Amino acid sequence: MTTRGVLYVHSAPRALCPHVEWAVAGVLGVRVQLDWIRQPASPGTWRAEFSWKGEAGTASKLASALRGWHLLRFEVTAEPSAAAEGERYSATPDLGIFHAVTGIHGDILVPEDRLRAALARSVQGETDLEAEIAKLLGKPWDDELEPFRYAGEGAPVRWLHQVV
């Protein structure tokens, strides 16, 4: 079963750009050459975005391939399909990686056990329930990435297909 999604590289130092392309090519199984443009939200960095099509699970493979690169900000989305729910991955140098399951309209779907755990931490006084829910919805990542998203409006998007 195939799905499609988008990889948004919000900011990467110039020296990291070819490594991003190699990592993405390794996941998709095709040569990748991204259209890099300057990222005005963080001078000295570059941004790129493209749409991909591949097997369910490709988003997690892309996120794993890019995970842990300290100076990289990115997001990977996958649309839901008949065989799999949608996904969203967000990563920043300060926060690490965030993963959420998404519904057909892009809403984040929070599993019951994660809600129960957040409530339990709140009841025990470990944290504030509002802060816990914000983390479950990815708000800290959204807050950090929002300036980089706006800076990318109007950027070119290309479709890349995974060889299966």
Side-chain angles (χ1 to χ4, degrees):
M1 185 59 69
T2 61
T3 188
R4 60 186 190 171
V6 180
L7 168 66
Y8 304 93
V9 179
H10 292 299
S11 70
R14 189 68 180 147
L16 196 56
C17 295
H19 298 280
V20 170
E21 292 177 355
W22 295 330
V24 173
V27 171
L28 297 178
V30 296
R31 185 172 180 268
V32 173
Q33 186 174 0
L34 302 178
D35 294 324
W36 295 97
I37 59 174
R38 293 186 187 276
Q39 173 53 276
S42 179
T45 64
W46 296 78
R47 69 172 327 296
E49 58 186 68
F50 66 90
S51 296
W52 55 267
K53 186 174 184 178
E55 295 179 8
T58 299
S60 65
K61 291 176 184 175
L62 287 168
S64 292
L66 300 175
R67 177 187 190 138
W69 294 2
H70 179 66
L71 300 174
L72 187 65
R73 287 178 182 86
F74 70 89
E75 291 181 278
V76 182
T77 63
E79 294 181 1
S81 67
E85 294 179 290
E87 295 182 280
R88 175 182 153 210
Y89 294 86
S90 302
T92 73
D94 294 331
L95 297 172
I97 199 158
F98 167 78
H99 171 254
V101 174
T102 57
I104 61 171
H105 299 295
D107 297 327
I108 291 176
L109 307 175
V110 181
E112 180 181 339
D113 63 329
R114 293 185 71 194
L115 284 171
R116 288 184 190 280
L119 183 58
R121 284 189 297 274
S122 173
V123 168
Q124 294 172 357
E126 296 176 20
T127 186
D128 176 63
L129 183 58
E130 185 176 350
E132 284 293 309
I133 291 173
K135 283 175 33 181
L136 290 173
L137 296 174
K139 185 175 180 341
W141 287 264
D142 286 339
D143 291 345
E144 187 170 328
L145 291 173
E146 199 61 24
F148 295 91
R149 292 174 181 147
Y150 282 117
E153 288 183 7
V157 176
R158 289 188 302 153
W159 283 98
L160 295 179
H161 303 279
Q162 181 179 17
V163 176
V164 288

